[in-house]
C-alpha cells in the first residue's frame, strides 16, 4: 500500500514538473513552442529550450522574442557565446525593443560607434549583479573587431585581451574565448602563446575546423621565424 501511494505521489510530481517545464502537451504554434521554451529554460532544460525556441523560429522566422529567449539560454546556460550574440543581433534587427538591455549596444554598432558600444557594454558589466563572462566576451569581441575596413589599434587589442582573460577566468571551458584570445595574441605576434590558446580551444571543441586552420597558420609563422633565425646564425 505504501509503495502504491509512493508511486502515485511520484507520478503526480512528474506530471506537475512536466506542466511546469512545458512538457505535458505538444505545441502546434510558434507561440506554443515559445512558451514551452520559456518553461524549459526556467527549469534549466537547455537542450529542450533551444529546440523549442528553434521550432518557434522555424514556424515564425520573424519571432524576435524567440531569438532573444534562445540567446539567453546560450548565454547563461550553455555558454555558447557566438550563437548568443548572433541571436541577440537577430532579435534587434527584427524588433529593436526585443533585444532588451542590448538594444543600445546594437544601436551604437549600427552607426559604427565602437566607443559607444564599449561604453554600453561596460555599463552592463557594472550593472550585472554577478560577473557574466558573456559581457566580457562581447566587449572584447567588439574591441578586437575590424569596422568598415579599419583594423583595431594596439590599444584596442590590449583591452580586448584583458576582456578575454577575464572571460576565461569566469568560463574556463569556453572554446570561443580561448579562440578569440589566441587571435588577439597572434595579432600581437605572440605566436607561441597563440598556438597554446588555439590548442586549448581545440581541446574543448575538437570538431571546429577553423581552430585547426588558425593554429596551422601560427605553426607556419613559427617555422618561418625559426628558419629566419637559422639563416641569420649561419652568416
Amino acid at each position: 500500500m505504501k509503495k502504491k501511494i509512493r508511486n502515485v505521489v511520484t507520478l503526480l510530481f512528474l506530471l506537475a514538473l512536466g506542466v511546469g517545464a512545458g512538457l505535458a502537451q505538444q505545441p502546434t504554434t510558434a507561440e506554443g513552442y515559445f512558451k514551452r521554451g520559456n518553461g524549459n529554460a526556467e527549469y534549466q532544460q537547455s537542450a529542450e529550450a533551444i529546440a523549442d525556441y528553434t521550432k518557434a523560429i522555424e514556424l515564425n522566422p520573424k519571432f524576435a522574442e524567440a531569438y532573444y529567449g534562445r540567446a539567453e539560454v546560450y548565454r547563461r546556460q550553455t555558454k555558447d557565446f557566438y550563437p548568443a550574440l548572433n541571436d541577440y543581433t537577430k532579435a534587434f534587427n527584427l524588433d529593436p525593443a526585443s533585444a532588451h538591455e542590448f538594444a543600445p549596444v546594437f544601436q551604437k554598432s549600427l552607426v559604427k560607434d565602437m566607443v559607444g558600444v564599449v561604453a554600453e557594454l561596460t555599463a552592463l558589466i557594472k550593472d550585472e549583479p554577478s560577473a557574466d563572462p558573456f559581457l566580457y566576451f562581447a566587449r572584447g569581441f567588439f574591441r578586437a573587431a575590424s569596422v568598415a575596413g579599419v583594423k583595431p589599434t594596439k590599444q584596442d587589442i590590449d583591452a580586448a585581451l584583458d576582456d578575454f582573460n577575464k572571460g576565461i577566468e569566469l568560463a574556463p571551458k569556453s572554446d570561443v574565448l580561448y579562440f578569440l584570445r589566441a587571435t588577439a595574441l597572434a595579432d600581437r605576434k605572440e605566436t607561441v602563446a597563440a598556438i597554446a590558446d588555439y590548442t586549448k580551444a581545440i581541446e574543448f571543441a575538437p570538431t571546429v575546423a577553423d581552430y585547426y586552420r588558425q593554429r596551422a597558420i601560427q605553426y607556419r609563422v613559427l617555422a618561418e621565424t625559426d628558419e629566419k633565425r637559422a639563416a641569420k646564425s649561419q652568416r
Side-chain angles (χ1 to χ4, degrees):
M1 182 67 180
K2 287 183 178 179
K3 185 176 180 182
K4 185 179 290 186
I5 293 173
R6 188 164 58 248
N7 288 341
V8 170
V9 170
T10 301
L11 179 60
L12 289 173
F13 172 78
L14 291 174
L15 285 172
L17 181 63
V19 170
L23 300 175
Q25 186 174 356
Q26 183 69 18
T28 58
T29 64
E31 186 66 28
Y33 279 104
F34 173 71
K35 289 180 178 178
R36 192 173 75 172
N38 289 342
N40 278 319
E42 183 177 350
Y43 280 87
Q44 301 287 309
Q45 300 292 323
S46 305
E48 291 83 354
I50 289 169
D52 282 337
Y53 289 131
T54 300
K55 185 64 177 179
I57 291 165
E58 180 184 318
L59 292 172
N60 179 6
K62 295 184 178 181
F63 201 158
E65 286 289 351
Y67 281 102
Y68 181 85
R70 191 170 66 177
E72 285 285 285
V73 175
Y74 283 135
R75 169 190 175 185
R76 300 186 184 279
Q77 296 183 22
T78 68
K79 308 301 184 188
D80 291 327
F81 296 145
Y82 264 139
L85 184 61
N86 288 338
D87 275 354
Y88 284 131
T89 305
K90 186 68 175 179
F92 174 80
N93 288 338
L94 288 168
D95 175 11
S98 71
H100 299 282
E101 73 272 33
F102 289 103
V105 174
F106 295 121
Q107 284 163 357
K108 297 288 194 305
S109 178
L110 276 178
V111 295
K112 307 295 189 284
D113 178 9
M114 289 300 108
V115 173
V117 168
V118 169
E120 293 292 346
L121 286 166
T122 300
L124 289 175
I125 288 170
K126 290 179 179 177
D127 289 342
E128 186 73 17
S130 59
D132 182 351
F134 173 80
L135 296 177
Y136 289 97
F137 153 81
R139 190 171 68 176
F141 175 84
F142 281 109
R143 278 173 162 164
S146 297
V147 179
V150 179
K151 292 190 68 174
T153 66
K154 180 182 181 302
Q155 289 75 19
D156 292 330
I157 296 298
D158 291 346
L161 269 173
D162 289 340
D163 282 333
F164 299 145
N165 288 338
K166 182 64 176 178
I168 288 170
E169 178 187 323
L170 296 170
K173 295 184 178 181
S174 171
D175 58 293
V176 69
L177 280 167
Y178 280 104
F179 174 74
L180 288 172
R181 189 172 73 175
T183 303
L185 289 167
D187 286 341
R188 295 208 320 185
K189 311 299 182 187
E190 296 182 32
T191 308
V192 174
I195 289 171
D197 269 0
Y198 283 130
T199 300
K200 200 71 177 175
I202 289 167
E203 177 185 328
F204 292 123
T207 61
V208 181
D210 198 40
Y211 294 174
Y212 293 94
R213 190 176 299 112
Q214 295 303 320
R215 186 175 66 172
I217 291 171
Q218 292 307 301
Y219 275 131
R220 285 199 294 272
V221 170
L222 188 61
E224 290 169 3
T225 301
D226 285 344
E227 286 175 5
K228 290 176 181 177
R229 288 173 180 167
K232 283 183 179 179
S233 66
Q234 293 174 357
R235 290 175 185 172

